[in-house]
Amino acid sequence: MPVLIKKIEKWGCMPNGHSFLFVIDTQHPGLLIPQDMRLLYPDEMSLILEYQFDRVRVGKTSFTAQLWFDGEAKRVIVPYESISRFVDEPAEIDIAF
């Protein structure tokens, strides 16, 4: 997983036609998402990296990114262990963890 996200960090954008969908456990320790998103999605939610994201950074145990929620930029920290599913449809990748 970090290897794929590292490519986005390097490129600064997604390759044409691609998007990464992450289904995440919103109760996972270390996950940082806007509080209103946590209230809307108390168990799990989908994060999609396609158009409105920036500042992706890859770490050993998590990645960070700036995403837009309702027109506002918010920083998220996503521990890899919080991800229960990863999808990149054009590449025909769909992995459940």
Side-chain angles (χ1 to χ4, degrees):
M1 178 87 50
V3 172
L4 292 172
I5 303 167
K6 190 79 172 161
K7 289 182 180 185
I8 300 171
E9 179 184 42
K10 179 181 175 183
W11 297 330
C13 63
M14 292 297 293
N16 254 355
H18 286 262
S19 63
F20 286 175
L21 175 138
F22 302 92
V23 177
I24 57 171
D25 172 3
T26 57
Q27 296 303 313
H28 190 279
L31 177 72
L32 174 69
I33 58 173
Q35 187 60 28
D36 57 331
M37 292 289 109
R38 195 179 300 269
L39 292 172
L40 281 172
Y41 305 100
D43 298 312
E44 72 176 20
M45 71 179 282
S46 297
L47 289 178
I48 300 173
L49 297 183
E50 186 172 14
Y51 300 116
Q52 295 187 340
F53 71 91
D54 197 7
R55 301 180 185 164
V56 175
R57 299 293 177 262
V58 177
K60 289 182 182 179
T61 60
S62 64
F63 74 90
T64 65
Q66 179 172 282
L67 304 177
W68 277 258
F69 297 94
D70 296 323
E72 288 189 47
K74 302 284 184 175
R75 182 171 176 249
V76 298
I77 299 174
V78 181
Y80 301 126
E81 290 181 353
S82 73
I83 300 169
S84 61
R85 185 174 176 210
F86 169 77
V87 178
D88 179 358
E89 287 184 7
E92 298 183 2
I93 297 171
D94 188 338
I95 303 168
F97 301 99

